[in-house]
């Protein structure tokens, strides 16, 4: 049996009962109005916690975590709740620990291009504050009006801007983490270059809240662009799109984002985004048209860069699976042929969005059993090409399927880190790679 099968088939443990004594301790700590019984809306992948708690400070949060750890309660950290469905179902869930009240922008050093912000602040609110000084966090996650800093960090969510500005691990320079024993651990600093100690912020980014609860983060910032222009390039097939994208990447074009769209219904299209002053944008357009031998280049609207959200928004959750994939950019055409062939074999409709760095999104629509079969085949093929497939949404009626796929040689080290920071495995138990 593989690691993935082991994680997938692990029995879900019954939730622990939260005693009246412990409940009163929580109330005394954070206030009666911020401790409540959960409802069906608080369920996490079918697991129903007993309590939801909203601490008002990071020290309160750390103390709630310490008390929960002593009692052996399974804790599910929650920000805006936009990605609670990501990851495997929890092995158990007793308590929702919300960062909703930790929503302040603590320190904005605009002259130094850094900001310190609490984990419960939404990305949209943060961006609106930074925009007043002509700056931004160069990040474009899903659902920024609801997604919080902590949630985006925990899921390592980023979009097309990653090509130019890097991923979250390139943007975060400091963090404070509440550990299960009640420790508030801080790492990094308020300057862009800091080499003191282990890089805890990068460790917890993408860890799905399994190592600690992020309470605040420090980010490096970038200026807002004065102007932007987008163009769409049509092509006959994936081979032409791959040729164009690689040519752009190898050129002297100063593009910010580059993405391509594929589906079972339409011909492929590639989008490219430029940012800068008007004169520079005009020069970029001239170079783009000289570079491309493709027939159709047209100016595109800003809405083209909402393609990832549209892929999620228009999906029927009962008949749709959505996966995040990674491939080598040189395998783009081959991968799209694989997607089409597999979808056709299982009688599925499909859409894909691929970024130039080889990260992308796949949506499959059809019968739940066929969806599982297609995902399993695609994962095997992609992993054989040094890629990956992570299933972020599956219909409730789809047969069991591990979200993550093969963990690789890093799993023993990951388990050792988990054991060191969360020895009782109370944080999001079973949700991460290999059942961590």
């Amino acid at each position: 049996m593989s690691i993935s099968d082991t994680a997938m088939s692990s029995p879900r443990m019954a939730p622990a009962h939260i005693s009246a004594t412990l409940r009163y301790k929580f109330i005394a700590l954070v206030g009666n109005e911020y401790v409540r019984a959960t409802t069906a809306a608080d369920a996490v992948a079918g697991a129903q916690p007993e309590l939801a708690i909203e601490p008002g400070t990071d020290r309160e949060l750390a103390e709630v975590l310490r008390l929960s750890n002593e009692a052996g309660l399974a804790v599910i950290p929650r920000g805006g709740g936009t990605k609670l469905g990501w990851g495997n179902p929890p092995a158990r869930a007793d308590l929702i620990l919300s960062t909703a009240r930790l929503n302040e922008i603590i320190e904005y050093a605009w002259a130094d291009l850094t900001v310190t912000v609490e984990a419960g602040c939404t990305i949209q609110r943060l961006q609106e504050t930074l925009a007043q000084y002509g700056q931004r966090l160069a990040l474009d996650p899903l659902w920024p009006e609801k997604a919080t800093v902590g949630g985006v960090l925990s899921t390592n969510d980023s979009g097309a801007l990653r090509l130019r500005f890097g991923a979250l691990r390139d943007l975060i320079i400091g963090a404070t983490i509440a550990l299960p024993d009640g420790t508030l651990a801080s790492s990094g600093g308020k300057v862009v270059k800091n080499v003191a100690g282990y890089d805890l912020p990068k460790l917890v980014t993408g860890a799905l809240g399994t190592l600690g609860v992020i309470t605040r983060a420090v980010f490096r910032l970038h200026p807002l662009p004065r102007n932007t222009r987008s163009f769409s390039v049509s092509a006959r097939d994936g081979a032409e799109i791959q040729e164009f994208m690689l040519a752009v990447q190898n050129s002297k074009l100063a593009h910010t984002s580059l993405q391509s769209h594929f589906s079972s219904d339409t011909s492929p299209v590639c989008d490219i985004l430029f940012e800068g002053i008007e004169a520079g944008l005009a020069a970029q357009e001239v170079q783009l048209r000289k570079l491309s031998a493709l027939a159709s280049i047209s100016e595109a609207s800003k809405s083209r860069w909402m393609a990832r959200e549209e892929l999620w928004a228009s999906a029927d959750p009962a008949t749709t699976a959505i996966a995040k994939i990674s491939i080598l950019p040189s395998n783009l055409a081959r991968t799209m042929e694989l997607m089409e062939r597999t979808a056709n074999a299982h009688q599925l409709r499909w859409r894909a969005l691929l970024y130039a760095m080889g990260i992308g999104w796949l949506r499959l629509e059809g019968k739940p059993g066929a969806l599982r079969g297609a995902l399993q085949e695609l994962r095997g093929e992609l992993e054989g090409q040094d890629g990956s497939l992570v299933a972020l949404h599956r219909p409730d009626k789809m047969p069991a399927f591990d979200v993550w796929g093969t963990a690789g040689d890093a799993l023993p080290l990951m388990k050792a880190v988990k054991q060191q920071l969360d020895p009782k495995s109370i944080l999001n138990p079973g949700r991460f790679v290999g059942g961590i």
Side-chain angles (χ1 to χ4, degrees):
M1 182 179 287
S2 70
I3 291 169
S4 297
D5 291 335
T6 302
M8 181 173 58
S9 59
S10 298
R12 181 174 293 170
M13 299 175 64
H17 177 67
I18 301 177
S19 68
T21 300
L22 183 55
R23 189 180 298 230
Y24 287 136
K25 287 182 179 180
F26 289 145
I27 291 173
L29 182 63
V30 306
N32 186 57
E33 65 269 42
Y34 300 114
V35 179
R36 63 172 177 82
T38 60
T39 67
D42 296 304
V44 181
Q48 184 64 56
E50 186 175 343
L51 284 183
I53 301 179
E54 295 184 5
T57 68
D58 52 4
R59 294 194 178 278
E60 287 181 4
L61 186 147
E63 182 63 12
V64 169
L65 204 51
R66 185 188 70 80
L67 293 170
S68 300
N69 188 52
E70 288 182 353
L73 300 180
V75 177
I76 309 295
R78 183 174 73 187
T82 60
K83 304 177 183 71
L84 273 185
W86 294 16
N88 283 318
R92 54 196 178 99
D94 302 310
L95 186 149
I96 293 285
L97 187 54
S98 171
T99 60
R101 295 171 64 205
L102 303 177
N103 57 12
E104 296 301 316
I105 297 172
I106 299 169
E107 182 180 352
Y108 178 19
W110 61 268
D112 295 328
L113 289 169
T114 64
V115 66
T116 304
V117 59
E118 289 187 310
C121 182
T122 66
I123 297 297
Q124 180 171 292
R125 183 186 168 211
L126 175 60
Q127 299 286 34
E128 288 172 350
T129 300
L130 302 177
Q132 297 176 28
Y133 288 85
Q135 295 176 355
R136 63 175 166 174
L137 176 60
L139 183 74
D140 48 352
L142 288 163
W143 314 299
E145 68 281 359
K146 293 182 180 179
T148 61
V149 165
V152 168
L153 281 168
S154 293
T155 55
N156 194 24
D157 184 26
S158 60
L161 289 178
R162 180 172 178 162
L163 178 67
R164 178 70 176 272
F165 299 103
L168 270 164
R169 291 188 179 96
D170 302 296
L171 299 173
I172 187 170
I173 57 176
T176 299
I177 318 296
L179 301 177
D181 64 359
T183 300
L184 278 172
S186 295
S187 179
K190 299 176 184 178
V191 295
V192 171
K193 291 187 178 181
N194 189 314
V195 294
Y198 291 110
D199 204 334
L200 184 62
K202 289 182 174 60
L203 180 65
V204 297
T205 298
L208 212 72
T210 56
L211 301 179
V213 180
I214 301 168
T215 63
R216 62 180 64 183
V218 187
F219 294 105
R220 61 182 301 185
L221 305 176
H222 291 84
L224 277 171
R226 293 189 181 182
N227 303 284
T228 65
R229 290 186 72 184
S230 297
F231 297 90
S232 292
V233 180
S234 300
R236 291 191 304 267
D237 52 30
E240 274 196 345
I241 288 290
Q242 176 178 308
E243 182 181 356
F244 172 71
M245 292 186 78
L246 293 178
V248 169
Q249 289 290 81
N250 289 327
S251 73
K252 295 183 179 180
L253 286 171
H255 53 291
T256 297
S257 301
L258 185 63
Q259 65 182 18
S260 55
H261 310 253
F262 300 85
S263 79
S264 54
D265 302 322
T266 59
S267 298
V269 177
C270 184
D271 304 320
I272 185 167
L273 171 68
F274 298 106
E275 298 179 335
I277 61 174
E278 285 292 352
L281 296 179
Q284 292 292 309
E285 180 184 359
V286 171
Q287 290 185 49
L288 175 66
R289 293 187 181 277
K290 288 181 179 179
L291 176 70
S292 175
L294 302 182
S296 175
I297 300 179
S298 59
E299 191 147 5
S301 69
K302 292 181 180 180
S303 63
R304 296 294 292 180
W305 304 103
M306 298 296 292
R308 191 164 59 125
E309 289 198 8
E310 291 172 2
L311 185 143
W312 283 83
S314 58
D316 180 352
T319 60
T320 302
I322 297 178
K324 185 176 183 179
I325 64 174
S326 67
I327 64 171
L328 296 174
S330 57
N331 282 342
L332 187 147
R334 178 181 175 186
T335 301
M336 291 306 103
E337 290 175 2
L338 170 66
M339 300 293 177
E340 183 172 21
R341 186 170 63 250
T342 305
N344 289 342
H346 290 270
Q347 298 182 321
L348 302 173
R349 292 168 59 84
W350 69 284
R351 286 177 57 184
L353 176 70
L354 269 294
Y355 300 134
M357 73 286 288
I359 294 172
W361 299 80
L362 170 67
R363 186 175 93 183
L364 297 172
E365 299 173 78
K367 295 180 179 180
L371 291 173
R372 188 195 187 282
L375 290 172
Q376 192 70 43
E377 287 183 27
L378 289 170
R379 172 175 286 166
E381 290 285 346
L382 292 179
E383 289 183 350
Q385 301 171 27
D386 297 319
S388 65
L389 183 149
V390 178
L392 297 180
H393 171 76
R394 298 89 65 208
D396 291 338
K397 294 184 178 180
M398 192 180 104
F401 183 76
D402 178 57
V403 167
W404 302 100
T406 304
D409 297 340
L411 186 60
L413 178 59
M414 293 167 66
K415 286 184 173 181
V417 173
K418 172 72 170 177
Q419 177 64 27
Q420 185 69 31
L421 297 180
D422 181 18
K424 292 185 178 180
S425 193
I426 69 161
L427 285 168
N428 267 342
R431 302 206 72 198
F432 201 40
V433 178
I436 292 176

